[in-house]
Amino acid sequence: MARLMRMPEVAAGGTSAVLHEWSVAERAEFGARDVLATVETDKAVVDVEAEEGGVVLRLLVAPGTSVEVGAPIAVLADAGETVDDVDAVLLALGAVQAASAAPDPEGAPDQPASPPVPEAAVPATVGSGIALHGAAGNGHVNGRGRIFASPLARRLARDAGLPLAGLRGTGPGGRIVRRDVEAASTGRTAAAAAPVSSPAAFTDVPHTPMRRAIARRLTESKQTIPHFTVRATLRVEELLRLRSGLNAVGTKFSVTDLLLKAAARAHTVVPRMNAIWTPDATRTFSSVDLAVAVATPTGLLTPVVRGVEGLPVAAIAATVGDLVARAREGRLRQDELEGGTFTLTNLGMFGTEEFAAIINPPQSAILAVGAARQEPVVQGGELAVGTVVHVTLSADHRVIDGALAAEWMAAFVASVEEPLRLLV
């Protein structure tokens, strides 16, 4: 039986998402749990799996299109089922706007008398009605002279000053999609000969939903959260020796793995740190859920490791390794990016000595970790060379007072400088 596949609510409270790519083609059969499409949310690219087997009758949305949650994106049927008139199915399922199905008052469908749809009238997202495409006309122009292009492609073309009529569509049915506009824009930039007196050439890279979300959240964080910082210098000779010993016997541990365990231990010693601000109350948690910052090609992600206080270091290393790998592949689930009260971000591998990070709301603190370096230290009243790491704790002053942050930092330093505690 024919049915509609709709854009799922992959992020709690989300109203729209971008269809990143299709994993199936029209007329292709699929099984239960097969990935049909990937959807890009504010934070990640999420696989959409089939609940049961079937066949794809028609794909209604081109990759790169922003779609409202609940809007149809494909027509599916049972495995082995044949449907000759998919347009009639769309009408029967109520997925086609009445105006799209009505006769053209200006002429027969094969007479391109209707003017193109004004770009200003094109919505920014695909709504609950899906106009039929690919059923008439040639390429990306239909029988009424209208150019088929995704809303995102229209907006990008308008911003770049590119006429849609001059673009070649590579989407379903010759539809113009984002990649077509970007290719045309890049080609035009490369072909333009800039006079000597002209400004330097540049290329605009459109913001992805993830980049927009990062900008929005961190701007909100700096505007609404009263940040303050506490700094410390860690002696890490013993921590690095412990790491080398553990790596020699099997599982590979990173410094970040050990520091996450040390942060969780500090949270158990100072449980008031394990809290966030809400409009009506300070919310405290019984489980220590900590996020770790991961740089990906599309932006920064902060997957959450649950119950770190009860995990052995080997389990933390395995969990972090899995989350980091899937974050860089764009395969994290939305629930893996939500929750937690604290983030650890480490730029030491890039040689950064010290930095302060912005709190990731609704969390209440973030610890910025620099590189391990040999520096002069005072030991037993004498000058010596020690291996140190500079760390900076950024805290939300609505939840965490200065004395509380200092108490937590002292517990964290003790755990790092006596690392055998982390194995208990």
Side-chain angles (χ1 to χ4, degrees):
M1 180 177 179
R3 58 191 181 274
L4 293 175
M5 175 183 176
R6 299 182 181 274
M7 175 61 73
E9 184 183 5
V10 292
T15 59
S16 66
V18 174
L19 193 139
H20 186 69
E21 65 179 353
W22 287 105
S23 301
V24 291
E26 292 186 351
R27 303 297 175 181
E29 293 196 358
F30 56 86
R33 308 291 295 176
D34 283 354
V35 175
L36 300 182
T38 53
V39 173
E40 186 176 353
T41 69
D42 283 350
K43 296 181 178 180
V45 177
V46 180
D47 290 335
V48 179
E49 298 179 347
E51 296 181 358
E52 56 184 334
V55 62
V56 179
L57 297 182
R58 180 175 294 177
L59 305 177
L60 302 177
V61 175
T65 305
S66 180
V67 185
E68 291 178 0
V69 170
I73 57 176
V75 186
L76 311 179
D78 295 335
E81 183 178 356
T82 301
V83 177
D84 296 325
D85 192 347
V86 180
D87 293 345
V89 171
L90 285 168
L91 284 171
L93 294 174
V96 181
Q97 295 173 343
S100 300
D104 187 348
E106 299 179 8
D110 59 351
Q111 296 174 329
S114 298
V117 178
E119 291 190 21
V122 178
T125 60
V126 175
S128 58
I130 300 294
L132 298 177
H133 64 274
N138 182 21
H140 60 270
V141 180
N142 74 359
R144 291 188 278 174
R146 296 175 179 172
I147 297 174
F148 285 120
S150 72
L152 179 60
R154 287 181 181 273
R155 186 170 72 250
L156 295 178
R158 183 169 60 249
D159 293 343
L162 294 171
L164 289 175
L167 302 181
R168 177 178 175 273
T170 61
R175 195 179 196 210
I176 298 172
V177 294
R178 176 173 60 183
R179 61 176 176 266
D180 303 324
V181 180
E182 292 174 346
S185 179
T186 302
R188 186 175 69 171
T189 301
V196 175
S197 59
S198 298
F202 63 89
T203 301
D204 286 338
V205 179
H207 299 313
T208 64
M210 184 185 298
R211 178 53 58 187
R212 291 184 185 276
I214 291 171
R216 183 179 66 252
R217 289 171 63 84
L218 296 186
T219 299
E220 173 192 351
S221 176
K222 289 296 288 185
Q223 290 176 340
T224 62
I225 297 178
H227 286 59
F228 75 96
T229 57
V230 175
R231 292 177 172 82
T233 299
L234 311 177
R235 293 290 300 272
V236 294
E237 294 93 344
E238 292 298 326
L239 184 80
L240 296 179
R241 274 194 285 269
L242 174 63
R243 174 178 176 250
S244 297
L246 293 172
N247 287 344
V249 296
T251 303
K252 297 302 180 184
F253 298 88
S254 69
V255 171
T256 297
D257 299 330
L258 297 170
L259 294 181
L260 272 176
K261 183 64 175 180
R265 184 174 181 85
H267 268 54
T268 59
V269 173
V270 188
R272 287 181 297 158
M273 278 286 292
N274 196 26
I276 63 171
W277 175 269
T278 73
D280 300 315
T282 296
R283 180 173 298 165
T284 59
F285 297 87
S286 57
S287 173
V288 180
D289 298 342
L290 305 181
V292 58
V294 181
T296 75
T298 55
L300 186 70
L301 294 177
T302 53
V304 178
V305 183
R306 313 286 179 184
V308 183
E309 80 284 5
L311 294 177
V313 177
I316 293 173
T319 302
V320 171
D322 172 63
L323 291 172
V324 168
R326 289 192 291 115
R328 290 172 177 162
E329 295 169 357
R331 291 292 181 266
L332 288 176
R333 300 189 308 271
Q334 191 70 29
D335 63 286
E336 293 173 322
L337 294 162
E338 297 174 345
T341 60
F342 177 100
T343 293
L344 190 147
T345 176
N346 187 349
L347 293 181
M349 66 285 295
F350 299 107
T352 300
E353 296 180 23
E354 184 178 354
F355 68 106
I358 300 174
I359 297 169
N360 181 30
Q363 296 180 0
S364 59
I366 184 168
L367 185 71
V369 180
R373 294 169 53 85
Q374 287 193 324
E375 295 184 0
V377 297
V378 176
Q379 186 170 313
E382 296 184 356
L383 193 63
V385 176
T387 304
V388 303
V389 167
H390 299 291
V391 296
T392 303
L393 176 71
S394 299
D396 182 349
H397 217 322
R398 298 173 301 177
V399 184
I400 301 168
D401 295 328
L404 178 61
E407 185 182 353
W408 181 91
M409 184 65 86
F412 176 74
V413 171
S415 293
V416 171
E417 295 188 348
E418 300 178 25
L420 289 178
R421 297 183 181 189
L422 305 179
L423 302 182
V424 178

